[in-house]
Amino acid sequence: MDEPRIERLHTVTSTQEIARGLPIGSVVVTDHQSAGRGRLDRRWEAPPGTALLASFVLPRHPLLSLAAGVAAAEACGEGVGLKWPNDLMVGDRKAGGILVEVAADKAIVGIGINLTAAPPGAATIAQPRDQLLERLRERLARWSVADSAAVLDRWRELSVTLGRTVRVELPGRVIEGVAAGIDEGGALIVGGEHVSAGDVIHLRMG
Ligand code: BT5
């Protein structure tokens, strides 16, 4: 079995592509991505050297998306909350995003956090990159093997979505209502419906 390793690369297409070939415990970090990816084929944009851009190879976990959000919010510290499922928020602005991709025997957790620049309407978390990376590694190691009940409890504490009036855009339809909770599978409960995928928009303070 290969040893886990840390790859620090100046420029890549996406850290996710490099991480896919590495063993559990490995990390890929870069200054710049020419084709940084969000969910659903969206783009993740960050000018060179302005962001933490990393992919972590982790064991699979049924709630890894929420667990990664918890780990990242804790690594960022005070003032950073989670919009369902795992966007890093400073107030109502997005400061970081998480993309979880699952393979047969491992999962790749990609995390992008704006440090010194952000697109219009987005936020930064002004912290030194390497220190933040170290805290992320440590928190991810812990939360990626935590039991689901602990992940859900901590996610609820860090959430800025619960209690808010939200709009959920699903393929072909839209639900609006108060985000009342998350179920044991990590689905958001809105208007009595359990939403496990889709985009959530916070409508107003609730
Ligand atoms: C995400 O997708 O939020 C997951 C982003 C994951 C990025 C990391 S970077 C390291 C690793 N390697 C990769 O290639 N990806 C991961 P999603 O929820 O789909 O949000 C994408 C949307 O966020 C875009 O459509 C934009 O509207 C917006 N966006 C793009 N760049 C942003 C930025 N720097 N800050 C805030 N919002 C951004």
Side-chain angles (χ1 to χ4, degrees), residues 12-17 28 30 33 35-47 51-55 85-87 93-101 109-114 117-123 199:
V12 296
T13 50
S14 159
T15 53
Q16 294 290 99
E17 312 321 329
V28 179
T30 192
Q33 299 184 120
R37 294 193 285 113
R39 296 175 299 148
L40 310 169
D41 279 336
R42 291 188 288 233
R43 302 264 312 184
W44 188 257
E45 307 277 1
L52 186 152
L53 304 165
S55 293
N86 57 20
D87 283 351
R93 291 169 180 242
K94 181 162 170 169
I98 299 177
L99 172 66
V100 178
E101 295 178 312
V109 174
I111 304 185
I113 301 175
N114 304 323
D199 279 317

Side-chain angles (χ1 to χ4, degrees), residues 77-149:
E78 206 55 28
V80 176
L82 291 171
K83 175 168 172 279
W84 186 88
N86 57 20
D87 283 351
L88 295 168
M89 304 296 287
V90 174
D92 249 349
R93 291 169 180 242
K94 181 162 170 169
I98 299 177
L99 172 66
V100 178
E101 295 178 312
V102 177
D105 54 350
K106 61 191 172 189
I108 315 296
V109 174
I111 304 185
I113 301 175
N114 304 323
L115 301 178
T116 58
T124 56
I125 294 173
Q127 295 187 15
R129 188 179 76 164
D130 287 350
Q131 288 170 29
L132 184 53
L133 181 67
E134 262 324 296
R135 284 200 302 281
L136 270 174
R137 288 186 70 192
E138 186 251 310
R139 297 279 92 190
L140 281 166
R142 169 176 175 207
W143 284 108
S144 63
V145 296
D147 67 60
S148 292

